[in-house]
Amino acid sequence: MADKDVKNFNTRVYEIAALIPRGKVATYGQIAMMLGYPRGGIMVGRAMSKAPAHLRLPCHRVVNRTGRLAPPEVFGSEDVQRAMLEAEGITFRPDGTIDMARHIWTVSGGRFS
DNA sequence: CATTTGACTTTGA
DNA sequence: TTCAAAGCCAAAT
């Protein structure tokens, strides 16, 4: 039942994304690693693109490793997502990327749940 | 059914 | 330092 496995994968991605604390950000690769895909960060992004809007996933808190945000069309415009993150306490660098070293989501206790 | 592509990451030159 | 290529797995064409 590969179909169900995929659904499970997506569900876990949504679950983890929803667990990201306010004022913190996580990387696709980080989430992928939790699920057992050390280089499958793109899978997480793909799962996000399929994510139902009614889940209200904080996808604006999920960024790539360089601190760059998701494509503008996802939120409507670049400034929008940046404003949301700033409103949560995220600080940005002069080049418009997130200060990862400061806001990267670190798991406490070695377990995220 | 084969090929391409993607909200990524890492490594090598 | 920046740039290019390979690896990841699934969905779309």
Side-chain angles (χ1 to χ4, degrees):
Chain A
M1 306 272 251
D3 232 31
K4 287 218 164 169
D5 290 344
V6 173
K7 188 176 180 187
N8 225 336
F9 174 84
N10 289 342
T11 302
R12 286 181 199 152
V13 172
Y14 306 148
E15 211 172 309
I16 292 171
L19 288 173
I20 300 174
R22 190 167 171 279
K24 292 269 181 183
V25 296
T27 69
Y28 297 99
Q30 200 179 352
I31 295 172
M33 201 180 300
M34 295 174 187
L35 299 176
Y37 293 85
R39 299 316 188 264
I42 195 167
M43 322 300 304
V44 175
R46 256 180 34 76
M48 286 298 195
S49 68
K50 291 158 55 98
H54 64 73
L55 293 177
R56 296 196 192 111
L57 295 179
C59 33
H60 55 273
R61 292 182 195 150
V62 182
V63 297
N64 58 19
R65 207 195 170 290
T66 64
R68 202 170 187 173
L69 300 176
E73 44 268 8
V74 177
F75 295 94
S77 134
E78 256 180 82
D79 298 330
V80 173
Q81 41 196 326
R82 176 172 169 169
M84 282 194 297
L85 290 165
E86 285 183 321
E88 297 187 352
I90 307 284
T91 56
F92 280 74
R93 290 180 169 178
D95 59 344
T97 58
I98 295 178
D99 191 348
M100 299 300 290
R102 204 176 152 79
H103 298 292
I104 185 66
W105 180 36
T106 51
V107 181
S108 45
R111 236 301 206 191
F112 55 85
S113 57

PDB file of all heavy atoms in Angstrom, chain A residues 60 69 72 74-87 92:
ATOM      1  N   HIS A  60       5.021  29.181   6.409  1.00  0.00           N
ATOM      2  CA  HIS A  60       5.914  30.338   6.328  1.00  0.00           C
ATOM      3  C   HIS A  60       7.073  30.181   7.306  1.00  0.00           C
ATOM      4  O   HIS A  60       8.040  30.900   7.246  1.00  0.00           O
ATOM      5  CB  HIS A  60       5.124  31.612   6.616  1.00  0.00           C
ATOM      6  CG  HIS A  60       4.398  31.598   7.907  1.00  0.00           C
ATOM      7  ND1 HIS A  60       3.125  31.076   8.031  1.00  0.00           N
ATOM      8  CD2 HIS A  60       4.771  32.005   9.128  1.00  0.00           C
ATOM      9  CE1 HIS A  60       2.770  31.208   9.311  1.00  0.00           C
ATOM     10  NE2 HIS A  60       3.735  31.754   9.993  1.00  0.00           N
ATOM     11  N   LEU A  69      12.975  32.111   1.781  1.00  0.00           N
ATOM     12  CA  LEU A  69      11.570  31.752   1.964  1.00  0.00           C
ATOM     13  C   LEU A  69      11.010  31.051   0.734  1.00  0.00           C
ATOM     14  O   LEU A  69      11.630  31.041  -0.319  1.00  0.00           O
ATOM     15  CB  LEU A  69      10.770  33.024   2.227  1.00  0.00           C
ATOM     16  CG  LEU A  69      11.232  33.779   3.474  1.00  0.00           C
ATOM     17  CD1 LEU A  69      10.453  35.068   3.599  1.00  0.00           C
ATOM     18  CD2 LEU A  69      11.044  32.929   4.707  1.00  0.00           C
ATOM     19  N   PRO A  72       6.961  33.362  -3.678  1.00  0.00           N
ATOM     20  CA  PRO A  72       5.981  34.388  -3.327  1.00  0.00           C
ATOM     21  C   PRO A  72       4.559  33.979  -3.666  1.00  0.00           C
ATOM     22  O   PRO A  72       3.633  34.286  -2.918  1.00  0.00           O
ATOM     23  CB  PRO A  72       6.407  35.586  -4.191  1.00  0.00           C
ATOM     24  CG  PRO A  72       7.825  35.336  -4.561  1.00  0.00           C
ATOM     25  CD  PRO A  72       7.990  33.857  -4.579  1.00  0.00           C
ATOM     26  N   VAL A  74       3.013  31.425  -3.290  1.00  0.00           N
ATOM     27  CA  VAL A  74       2.380  30.586  -2.275  1.00  0.00           C
ATOM     28  C   VAL A  74       1.604  31.439  -1.265  1.00  0.00           C
ATOM     29  O   VAL A  74       0.506  31.100  -0.859  1.00  0.00           O
ATOM     30  CB  VAL A  74       3.441  29.747  -1.546  1.00  0.00           C
ATOM     31  CG1 VAL A  74       2.807  28.934  -0.434  1.00  0.00           C
ATOM     32  CG2 VAL A  74       4.153  28.836  -2.537  1.00  0.00           C
ATOM     33  N   PHE A  75       2.195  32.559  -0.886  1.00  0.00           N
ATOM     34  CA  PHE A  75       1.541  33.426   0.106  1.00  0.00           C
ATOM     35  C   PHE A  75       0.949  34.671  -0.533  1.00  0.00           C
ATOM     36  O   PHE A  75       0.258  35.429   0.110  1.00  0.00           O
ATOM     37  CB  PHE A  75       2.546  33.848   1.164  1.00  0.00           C
ATOM     38  CG  PHE A  75       3.039  32.693   1.975  1.00  0.00           C
ATOM     39  CD1 PHE A  75       4.210  32.037   1.633  1.00  0.00           C
ATOM     40  CD2 PHE A  75       2.302  32.245   3.056  1.00  0.00           C
ATOM     41  CE1 PHE A  75       4.657  30.964   2.378  1.00  0.00           C
ATOM     42  CE2 PHE A  75       2.749  31.182   3.802  1.00  0.00           C
ATOM     43  CZ  PHE A  75       3.924  30.537   3.466  1.00  0.00           C
ATOM     44  N   GLY A  76       1.247  34.875  -1.777  1.00  0.00           N
ATOM     45  CA  GLY A  76       0.720  36.045  -2.456  1.00  0.00           C
ATOM     46  C   GLY A  76       1.833  37.000  -2.825  1.00  0.00           C
ATOM     47  O   GLY A  76       1.852  37.527  -3.911  1.00  0.00           O
ATOM     48  N   SER A  77       2.754  37.196  -1.918  1.00  0.00           N
ATOM     49  CA  SER A  77       3.867  38.094  -2.212  1.00  0.00           C
ATOM     50  C   SER A  77       4.978  37.966  -1.179  1.00  0.00           C
ATOM     51  O   SER A  77       4.763  37.495  -0.080  1.00  0.00           O
ATOM     52  CB  SER A  77       3.300  39.475  -2.306  1.00  0.00           C
ATOM     53  OG  SER A  77       3.856  40.404  -1.739  1.00  0.00           O
ATOM     54  N   GLU A  78       6.156  38.310  -1.551  1.00  0.00           N
ATOM     55  CA  GLU A  78       7.302  38.102  -0.673  1.00  0.00           C
ATOM     56  C   GLU A  78       7.167  38.854   0.642  1.00  0.00           C
ATOM     57  O   GLU A  78       7.438  38.339   1.699  1.00  0.00           O
ATOM     58  CB  GLU A  78       8.557  38.586  -1.391  1.00  0.00           C
ATOM     59  CG  GLU A  78       9.365  37.428  -1.911  1.00  0.00           C
ATOM     60  CD  GLU A  78      10.612  37.943  -2.614  1.00  0.00           C
ATOM     61  OE1 GLU A  78      11.573  38.238  -1.927  1.00  0.00           O
ATOM     62  OE2 GLU A  78      10.589  38.048  -3.845  1.00  0.00           O
ATOM     63  N   ASP A  79       6.723  40.072   0.559  1.00  0.00           N
ATOM     64  CA  ASP A  79       6.632  40.902   1.756  1.00  0.00           C
ATOM     65  C   ASP A  79       5.640  40.327   2.765  1.00  0.00           C
ATOM     66  O   ASP A  79       5.782  40.517   3.958  1.00  0.00           O
ATOM     67  CB  ASP A  79       6.208  42.313   1.364  1.00  0.00           C
ATOM     68  CG  ASP A  79       7.254  42.949   0.453  1.00  0.00           C
ATOM     69  OD1 ASP A  79       8.427  42.603   0.605  1.00  0.00           O
ATOM     70  OD2 ASP A  79       6.870  43.758  -0.392  1.00  0.00           O
ATOM     71  N   VAL A  80       4.641  39.599   2.271  1.00  0.00           N
ATOM     72  CA  VAL A  80       3.610  39.057   3.150  1.00  0.00           C
ATOM     73  C   VAL A  80       4.207  38.040   4.104  1.00  0.00           C
ATOM     74  O   VAL A  80       4.046  38.133   5.317  1.00  0.00           O
ATOM     75  CB  VAL A  80       2.485  38.389   2.326  1.00  0.00           C
ATOM     76  CG1 VAL A  80       1.504  37.690   3.250  1.00  0.00           C
ATOM     77  CG2 VAL A  80       1.779  39.436   1.479  1.00  0.00           C
ATOM     78  N   GLN A  81       4.899  37.064   3.573  1.00  0.00           N
ATOM     79  CA  GLN A  81       5.471  36.034   4.431  1.00  0.00           C
ATOM     80  C   GLN A  81       6.517  36.640   5.355  1.00  0.00           C
ATOM     81  O   GLN A  81       6.603  36.290   6.519  1.00  0.00           O
ATOM     82  CB  GLN A  81       6.091  34.937   3.591  1.00  0.00           C
ATOM     83  CG  GLN A  81       6.828  35.479   2.406  1.00  0.00           C
ATOM     84  CD  GLN A  81       7.099  34.393   1.383  1.00  0.00           C
ATOM     85  OE1 GLN A  81       7.325  33.262   1.724  1.00  0.00           O
ATOM     86  NE2 GLN A  81       7.070  34.739   0.138  1.00  0.00           N
ATOM     87  N   ARG A  82       7.284  37.542   4.844  1.00  0.00           N
ATOM     88  CA  ARG A  82       8.294  38.184   5.679  1.00  0.00           C
ATOM     89  C   ARG A  82       7.635  38.927   6.829  1.00  0.00           C
ATOM     90  O   ARG A  82       8.072  38.864   7.971  1.00  0.00           O
ATOM     91  CB  ARG A  82       9.105  39.154   4.820  1.00  0.00           C
ATOM     92  CG  ARG A  82      10.100  39.900   5.664  1.00  0.00           C
ATOM     93  CD  ARG A  82      11.045  40.714   4.818  1.00  0.00           C
ATOM     94  NE  ARG A  82      11.802  41.608   5.683  1.00  0.00           N
ATOM     95  CZ  ARG A  82      12.861  42.300   5.286  1.00  0.00           C
ATOM     96  NH1 ARG A  82      13.255  42.196   4.046  1.00  0.00           N
ATOM     97  NH2 ARG A  82      13.488  43.082   6.106  1.00  0.00           N
ATOM     98  N   ALA A  83       6.533  39.596   6.545  1.00  0.00           N
ATOM     99  CA  ALA A  83       5.820  40.344   7.590  1.00  0.00           C
ATOM    100  C   ALA A  83       5.288  39.390   8.642  1.00  0.00           C
ATOM    101  O   ALA A  83       5.356  39.668   9.844  1.00  0.00           O
ATOM    102  CB  ALA A  83       4.676  41.129   6.953  1.00  0.00           C
ATOM    103  N   MET A  84       4.756  38.252   8.212  1.00  0.00           N
ATOM    104  CA  MET A  84       4.221  37.269   9.172  1.00  0.00           C
ATOM    105  C   MET A  84       5.324  36.779  10.095  1.00  0.00           C
ATOM    106  O   MET A  84       5.151  36.662  11.305  1.00  0.00           O
ATOM    107  CB  MET A  84       3.620  36.082   8.422  1.00  0.00           C
ATOM    108  CG  MET A  84       2.260  36.384   7.852  1.00  0.00           C
ATOM    109  SD  MET A  84       1.409  34.883   7.345  1.00  0.00           S
ATOM    110  CE  MET A  84       2.467  34.271   6.047  1.00  0.00           C
ATOM    111  N   LEU A  85       6.466  36.482   9.509  1.00  0.00           N
ATOM    112  CA  LEU A  85       7.582  35.983  10.302  1.00  0.00           C
ATOM    113  C   LEU A  85       8.097  37.052  11.257  1.00  0.00           C
ATOM    114  O   LEU A  85       8.383  36.768  12.417  1.00  0.00           O
ATOM    115  CB  LEU A  85       8.700  35.531   9.354  1.00  0.00           C
ATOM    116  CG  LEU A  85       8.327  34.270   8.575  1.00  0.00           C
ATOM    117  CD1 LEU A  85       9.278  34.071   7.414  1.00  0.00           C
ATOM    118  CD2 LEU A  85       8.343  33.059   9.479  1.00  0.00           C
ATOM    119  N   GLU A  86       8.166  38.250  10.780  1.00  0.00           N
ATOM    120  CA  GLU A  86       8.637  39.338  11.650  1.00  0.00           C
ATOM    121  C   GLU A  86       7.671  39.534  12.803  1.00  0.00           C
ATOM    122  O   GLU A  86       8.068  39.817  13.923  1.00  0.00           O
ATOM    123  CB  GLU A  86       8.760  40.627  10.839  1.00  0.00           C
ATOM    124  CG  GLU A  86       9.974  40.606   9.932  1.00  0.00           C
ATOM    125  CD  GLU A  86      10.113  41.927   9.180  1.00  0.00           C
ATOM    126  OE1 GLU A  86       9.083  42.482   8.769  1.00  0.00           O
ATOM    127  OE2 GLU A  86      11.246  42.388   9.024  1.00  0.00           O
ATOM    128  N   ALA A  87       6.377  39.335  12.515  1.00  0.00           N
ATOM    129  CA  ALA A  87       5.355  39.502  13.547  1.00  0.00           C
ATOM    130  C   ALA A  87       5.489  38.434  14.620  1.00  0.00           C
ATOM    131  O   ALA A  87       5.031  38.598  15.747  1.00  0.00           O
ATOM    132  CB  ALA A  87       3.970  39.429  12.902  1.00  0.00           C
ATOM    133  N   PHE A  92      15.348  39.227  10.204  1.00  0.00           N
ATOM    134  CA  PHE A  92      15.855  38.997   8.851  1.00  0.00           C
ATOM    135  C   PHE A  92      17.210  39.651   8.647  1.00  0.00           C
ATOM    136  O   PHE A  92      17.545  40.630   9.290  1.00  0.00           O
ATOM    137  CB  PHE A  92      14.861  39.547   7.834  1.00  0.00           C
ATOM    138  CG  PHE A  92      13.707  38.615   7.604  1.00  0.00           C
ATOM    139  CD1 PHE A  92      12.716  38.481   8.556  1.00  0.00           C
ATOM    140  CD2 PHE A  92      13.644  37.864   6.444  1.00  0.00           C
ATOM    141  CE1 PHE A  92      11.657  37.608   8.345  1.00  0.00           C
ATOM    142  CE2 PHE A  92      12.574  36.996   6.239  1.00  0.00           C
ATOM    143  CZ  PHE A  92      11.595  36.870   7.176  1.00  0.00           C
TER     144      PHE A  92
END
